[in-house]
DNA sequence: TCAATATATATCGATCATCTACTTATGGAA
DNA sequence: TTCCATAAGTAGATGATCGATATATATTGA
């Protein structure tokens, strides 16, 4: 799973959100480092819905504009948890090996 | 940066390794979850060398077969450290939000 | 009243990393 | 002598993401 997809699921883990809300939320989660593109987001929505990881929650009309809310499914939450654990382990492995270099392994 | 690329850099963070060594190392790091394909590896080697994140270290002839060793450059180590930190934060954010769901937020 | 900006959804074409599959080669084991 | 593990490499296909663009509305300001 790629970073944008992971962050979309993470955004929805906080509760149902609409597309534009996910974009701004992802930007916040990543400290402004990841700015989701509309193309990425809506393609991902379709794909993740097809995989059963997210589902349409409801539609609202606010100021004459449609807001389509998506929510994380049980499968989506499980998948996100698995990916988070996988990333945690990989990050830990990399950091441990980099520490060895830093502490004079190469010198 | 995608997972295979991250794991290739992580493998090289333990010291210079040749292609096949990286494949087996990555499999070990990821607990057997990630099996690097030759196509992925050698394409990544070319790309990462072009980006200056890795460099050719030396060539050895073992049992009549060439072993081409690659090593992590300073830039590569810095990049890997940055990616690891980014992943750590994202994993943490996801886990924190999933905990809220788990503790009865949706119920 | 007209232009610009923020919100909001959506599509299209291009790019690029990865995957599948294949090729070549050696040494050792069955 | 056939098969497997090791070892490097290429070609073509797939698919996620990106950049650009289109649409529509409300608000702000010239």
């Amino acid at each position: 799973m790629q970073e944008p997809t992971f962050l979309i699921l993470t955004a929805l883990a906080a509760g149902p959100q609409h597309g534009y809300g996910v974009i701004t939320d992802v930007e916040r989660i990543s400290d402004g480092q990841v700015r989701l593109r509309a193309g990425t987001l809506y393609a991902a929505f379709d794909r993740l819905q097809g995989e059963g990881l997210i589902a349409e929650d409801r539609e609202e009309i606010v100021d004459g504009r449609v807001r389509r809310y998506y929510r994380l499914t049980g499968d989506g939450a499980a998948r996100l948890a698995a990916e988070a654990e996988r990333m945690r382990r990989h990050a830990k492995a990399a950091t441990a090996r980099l520490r060895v270099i830093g502490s004079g392994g190469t010198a």
Side-chain angles (χ1 to χ4, degrees), chain A:
Chain A
M1 182 182 294
Q2 296 192 29
E3 193 178 47
T5 304
F6 179 86
L7 291 171
I8 289 168
L9 294 182
T10 300
L12 294 180
Q17 289 192 68
H18 63 283
Y20 201 80
V22 169
I23 289 175
T24 53
D25 196 17
V26 163
E27 198 170 339
R28 196 157 42 78
I29 294 170
S30 68
D31 256 332
Q33 282 181 48
V34 181
R35 291 187 188 199
L36 229 53
R37 311 304 166 134
T40 305
L41 181 70
Y42 294 104
F45 273 162
D46 286 349
R47 182 167 35 88
L48 293 171
Q49 194 175 11
E51 292 173 29
L53 302 183
I54 66 171
E56 269 189 53
D57 193 66
R58 64 183 188 279
E59 278 188 10
E60 281 180 8
I61 308 289
V62 177
D63 292 330
R65 279 170 300 211
V66 173
R67 276 188 185 172
R68 180 166 300 127
Y69 283 77
Y70 286 90
R71 61 180 156 75
L72 206 58
T73 63
D75 279 2
R79 179 66 190 281
L80 179 59
E83 286 292 326
E85 171 58 17
R86 184 196 190 93
M87 282 173 62
R88 201 190 58 76
R89 275 197 294 106
H90 289 174
K92 198 174 159 185
T95 306
R97 290 179 169 210
L98 285 167
R99 239 197 311 275
V100 174
I101 296 178
S103 64
T106 316

